[in-house]
Amino acid sequence: MALGNLSELDTFKVSPFPTGYPTNARTFYSPVDDIHKALVALLRSATRSVVVSMYGYDDTELNKVLRDKLTNEHIFVQLTLDSSQAAGRAEKPLLAEWLNDGPGNSIAIGRSEKGAIMHLKLALVDGLDLITGSTNWSTGGETKQDNQLTVIRDPLVAAEARARVDIIHDSMLKQMAAAR
């Protein structure tokens, strides 16, 4: 179910957002705010698309939410992961369960266009909400490390990020095809 407005995420903030805080943005800080629950709520809210470009990815609950979206033929799911992280001990079993052959699903694993790590940590929900910041999608990143997660509700900001992520994703798909 789509979030009506970002204030629905306010319960995941330890101290209230100050008066006058922009209605189209929310910023959370780990380990004090509940970044994990904010991410779950945002991903569950997707009704049309979820596009993720993530360096560190081993949160089993977020993975389950995304896999549930993968099984819905009406929701497009795109996942772009750095190959050094995707091959990790925790990540590899999670990714083995993905349904890359399903309709509307695209998963790319590779390196940056210059051969370095792909270090982005962002997601887009329904082409409207941009989720970004320093937070890896892992227990440590969400609950132990000092990290920041910002949600911006703006279709133009989301479109700019989507264009960049799609170029990175396409590059990685080509890397995967060349490796075969």
Side-chain angles (χ1 to χ4, degrees):
M1 178 179 197
L3 293 176
N5 59 62
L6 294 184
S7 66
E8 294 177 41
L9 299 172
D10 291 1
T11 60
F12 308 122
K13 184 85 169 165
V14 167
S15 39
F17 288 100
T19 303
Y21 203 89
T23 59
N24 72 331
R26 291 292 182 268
T27 297
F28 302 91
Y29 298 93
S30 69
V32 293
D33 297 325
D34 199 338
I35 286 179
H36 176 78
K37 285 186 180 171
L39 284 168
V40 169
L42 284 157
L43 294 178
R44 283 189 178 149
S45 76
T47 59
R48 292 180 304 281
S49 66
V50 181
V51 174
V52 177
S53 188
M54 190 58 51
Y55 176 69
Y57 179 88
D58 69 7
D59 183 311
T60 56
E61 186 174 9
L62 296 179
N63 186 64
K64 182 181 180 328
V65 173
L66 286 177
R67 282 190 34 245
D68 288 345
K69 298 297 179 184
L70 278 171
T71 62
N72 184 331
E73 65 185 33
H74 302 292
I75 298 178
F76 174 77
V77 179
Q78 177 176 298
L79 180 63
T80 308
L81 296 173
D82 179 74
S83 58
S84 67
Q85 292 295 301
R89 188 179 49 205
E91 293 85 347
K92 201 168 185 174
L94 293 179
L95 296 174
E97 301 173 346
W98 277 69
L99 306 170
N100 195 32
D101 296 332
N105 302 332
S106 183
I107 296 128
I109 299 171
R111 305 291 283 171
S112 79
E113 296 154 290
K114 302 281 185 179
I117 62 171
M118 190 290 302
H119 204 248
L120 288 176
K121 296 154 185 142
L122 67 82
L124 297 135
V125 175
D126 291 339
L128 181 63
D129 294 332
L130 170 65
I131 306 161
T132 190
S134 61
T135 306
N136 285 317
W137 290 8
S138 65
T139 300
E142 298 164 17
T143 65
K144 295 176 183 174
Q145 301 165 358
D146 294 320
N147 277 311
Q148 165 267 332
L149 182 90
T150 297
V151 182
I152 301 167
R153 176 165 283 180
D154 186 296
L156 292 175
V157 173
E160 176 189 33
R162 176 68 192 265
R164 186 68 198 127
V165 168
D166 284 351
I167 290 168
I168 294 165
H169 188 83
D170 179 64
S171 173
M172 286 187 185
L173 288 175
K174 290 173 179 158
Q175 291 170 35
M176 292 170 69
R180 288 191 184 129

